[in-house]
């Protein structure tokens, strides 16, 4: 890629001009080829030969790691607690909704064994309780989550992220109060009340999925670093918020163990009804003040970054309070393969995750065949969640590395989970013998590790970032709801098959997830979300074939998009550079038009555009070279004398004369058929 040198007013452009090195001289170079994605020669990193690409990626990764470590060390020297405070304010608070839902949802599952031990006539033999209502406790929970995921996902794109997040927290507070106070004149009446209390709570839980992912994805970084942070750390930002779900599980299991020791005075059965009542009610009440604080913080303290959503609606001529139905239909038609990939991928991932939870007792019985009471299972689960936390954090560490990234992480995770569950299916009886018990333990912990260091984290991230901002929460909600269907399937299927057949059933979902990811999921590691929205603007106008940028680079497309749809053929770095220079000029003219008309530029609406101070100075300088002051007008009146910029652009194939140029934003151009 080559660019013309920036010439001062005294220089001309003779046909025999001297060639000079552009890369350190042209003022638009950093705007068109930022060093976080391009080499000093202006080559996109994914266009490099494999060995050079490997060198460039490793050098960039190492340099960024050193820079961040230096920043953390400088913070630590000034205030030893400041790095922890920064981590909590950025990731813990953003993902605190996932913490509260992880605590409560898995508390409901963990308490099942206690209910069975305390009220066996209800939860065990079903003598006094309806078997269907006992089963409904699990089904209603999943149905509530699905309704919340779809409903709040649509609401988040329709009304805004803030409303969805505050509403989720308030609904979860109400659900926790209902769970704590659930009662009935009979045990069966209590089960019914308990089930519907779960439904209310899980409506808020479902909404947390699309709202947490989009808020973490669209986090407003400090001025001047937003796009760099998006390209280099976007995946980490989302995964570190999502892994708060794991911390919720860990804290809940610890709280339940402590409460049982307090109210029972030990861990061995039998457990009294009074103990059961105190343990489950206090465990739910424990999270009420934290969730109430979350609602307060989201309403009064949290800063929201919704300018990209507003800008997308404005460009699509959608009222701010309206829903962009046209974009949703277009996503289904244009990005249908991606929607299939995220929905099926999450379905397979949740079948693996929740399926493993359902036959977790099988593992524990094999590992500790002579155990009694609930404490043994709870302690093993506590250890298992601790192992999974390593998977969460390793996923956050590698999810943005361009040679590993989210797609490869999900692919490898699915494949290994399929293999890990295939092994006990083949050697089920052998692994249950005491001589091979450590092999069973290894499978148990490795499955937990690769679930988190794999599809459980990546499906949460990919379902948001591969779709345009205007329908991002909706697409995430639909994908997450498909996942809950995957969670519902093993709850039904496992009632009709034996333990060995469960392993035979679940392993194929790992292999199916591996194939689905390879076929339909694009690798967008390192791709700027702003560039994806730029591509979407062309798609929305019916001009997808006129887009030649890196969003259609073969590296960032799925196999379906490359092999079947052939979208990579539109990629052309030179044509894209020409288009981007024109777009920068349009942005600059639009700003000046507002200033000349006495208007005020809304900084928030422009903080994500590409007009840097360098680009502004460049176009400002070019404007001053016009021969007549009246030519500074940004009206559409044709100019008799082309500007020097126009002459230079015409010499480089970027013809941009005033006669040809329309100062409307490129996204507002009339629709054209592909």
């Amino acid at each position: 890629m080559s660019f013309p040198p920036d010439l001062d007013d005294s220089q001309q452009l003779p046909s025999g001009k001297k060639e000079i090195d552009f890369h350190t001289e042209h003022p638009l170079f950093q705007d068109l080829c930022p060093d976080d994605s391009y080499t000093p020669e202006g080559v996109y990193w994914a266009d490099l030969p494999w060995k050079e690409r490997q060198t460039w990626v490793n050098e960039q990764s190492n340099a960024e790691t050193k820079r961040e470590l230096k920043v953390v060390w400088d913070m630590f020297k000034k205030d030893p607690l400041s790095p922890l405070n920064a981590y909590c304010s950025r990731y813990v608070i953003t993902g605190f909704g996932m913490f509260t839902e992880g605590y409560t949802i898995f508390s409901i599952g963990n308490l099942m064994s206690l209910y069975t031990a305390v009220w066996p006539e209800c939860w065990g033999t079903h003598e006094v309780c309806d078997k269907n209502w006992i089963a409904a406790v699990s089904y209603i929970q999943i149905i509530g989550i699905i309704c919340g995921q779809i409903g709040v996902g649509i609401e988040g794109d329709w009304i805004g992220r803030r409303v969805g997040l505050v509403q989720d927290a308030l609904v979860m507070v109400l659900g926790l109060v209902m769970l704590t106070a659930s009662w009935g004149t009979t045990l069966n009446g209590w089960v019914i009340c308990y089930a519907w209390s779960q439904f209310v709570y899980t409506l808020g839980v479902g909404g947390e999925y699309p709202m947490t992912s989009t808020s973490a994805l669209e986090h407003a970084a400090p001025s001047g670093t937003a796009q760099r942070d998006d390209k280099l750390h976007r995946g980490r930002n989302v995964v570190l918020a999502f892994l708060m779900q794991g911390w919720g599980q860990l804290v809940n299991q610890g709280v339940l163990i402590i409460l049982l020791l307090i109210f029972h005075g030990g861990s061995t059965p039998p457990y009294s009804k009074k103990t059961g009542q105190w343990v489950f009610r206090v465990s739910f009440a424990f999270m009420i003040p934290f969730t109430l604080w979350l609602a307060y913080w989201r309403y009064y303290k949290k800063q929201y970054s919704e300018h990209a959503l507003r800008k997308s609606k404005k460009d699509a001529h959608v009222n701010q309070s309206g829903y962009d139905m046209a974009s949703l239909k277009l996503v289904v038609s244009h990005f249908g393969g991606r929607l299939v990939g995220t929905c099926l991928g999450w379905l397979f991932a949740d079948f693996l995750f929740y399926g493993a939870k359902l036959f977790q007792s099988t593992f524990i019985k094999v590992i500790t065949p002579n155990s009694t009471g609930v404490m043994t299972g709870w302690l093993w689960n506590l250890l298992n969640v601790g192992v999974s936390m390593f998977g969460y954090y390793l996923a956050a560490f590698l999810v943005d590395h361009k040679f590993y990234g989210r797609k490869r992480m999900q692919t490898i995770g699915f494949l290994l989970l399929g293999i890990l569950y295939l092994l006990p299916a083949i050697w089920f009886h052998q692994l249950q013998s005491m001589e091979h018990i450590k092999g069973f333990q290894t499978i148990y912990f490795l499955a937990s590790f690769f679930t988190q260091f794999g599809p459980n984290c990546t499906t949460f991230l990919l379902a948001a970032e591969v779709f345009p901002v205007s329908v991002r929460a909706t697409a995430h909600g639909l994908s997450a709801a498909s996942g809950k269907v995957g969670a519902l399937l093993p709850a039904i299927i496992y009632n009709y098959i034996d333990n060995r057949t469960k392993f035979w059933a679940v392993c194929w979902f790992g292999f199916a997830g591996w194939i689905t990811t390879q076929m339909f999921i694009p690798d967008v590691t390192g791709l700027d979300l702003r560039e994806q929205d730029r591509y979407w603007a062309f798609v929305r106008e019916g001009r997808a074939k006129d887009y030649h940028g890196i969003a259609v680079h073969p590296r960032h497309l799925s196999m379906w998009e490359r092999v079947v749809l052939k979208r990579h053929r539109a990629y052309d770095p030179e044509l894209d550079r020409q288009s981007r220079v024109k777009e920068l000029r349009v942005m600059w003219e639009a700003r000046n038009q507002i200033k000349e008309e006495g208007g005020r530029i809304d900084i928030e609406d422009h903080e994500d555009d590409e007009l840097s101070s360098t680009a502004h100075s460049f176009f400002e300088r070019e404007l001053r070279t016009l021969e007549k002051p009246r030519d500074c007008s940004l009206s559409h009146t044709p100019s008799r004398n082309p500007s020097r910029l126009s002459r230079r652009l015409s010499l480089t194939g970027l013809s941009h004369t005033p006669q040809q140029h329309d100062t409307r934003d490129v996204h507002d151009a009339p629709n054209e058929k592909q």
Side-chain angles (χ1 to χ4, degrees), residues 153-154 156-157 161 209-211 213-215 217-219 230 234 305 308-309 323 327-328 331 339 461-479 528-530 532-533:
I154 294 173
D157 288 328
R161 318 302 195 212
Y209 281 78
M211 291 298 96
S213 65
T214 52
S215 62
L217 204 67
E218 298 164 2
H219 174 83
D230 176 72
R234 179 174 70 242
S305 180
L309 178 62
Y323 186 81
S327 289
L328 180 60
V331 162
L339 195 58
L461 167 62
L462 286 165
E465 71 173 353
V466 300
F467 298 108
V469 63
S470 58
V471 293
R472 180 172 293 149
T474 302
H476 190 280
L478 291 172
S479 302
D528 191 348
L529 281 182
R530 182 178 57 183
Q532 293 199 86
D533 289 335

Side-chain angles (χ1 to χ4, degrees), residues 304-308 310 600-609:
Y304 295 87
S305 180
E306 297 189 359
H307 60 277
R310 289 199 300 271
R600 183 181 68 85
I601 295 178
D602 188 343
I603 298 300
E604 189 182 47
D605 287 340
H606 289 270
E607 68 181 28
D608 65 333
D609 68 28

Side-chain angles (χ1 to χ4, degrees), residues 505-524:
V506 74
C507 67
W508 302 113
F509 283 83
F511 297 128
W514 169 54
I515 294 171
T516 299
T517 303
Q518 289 283 58
M519 181 63 67
F520 294 110
I521 297 297
D523 186 358
V524 292

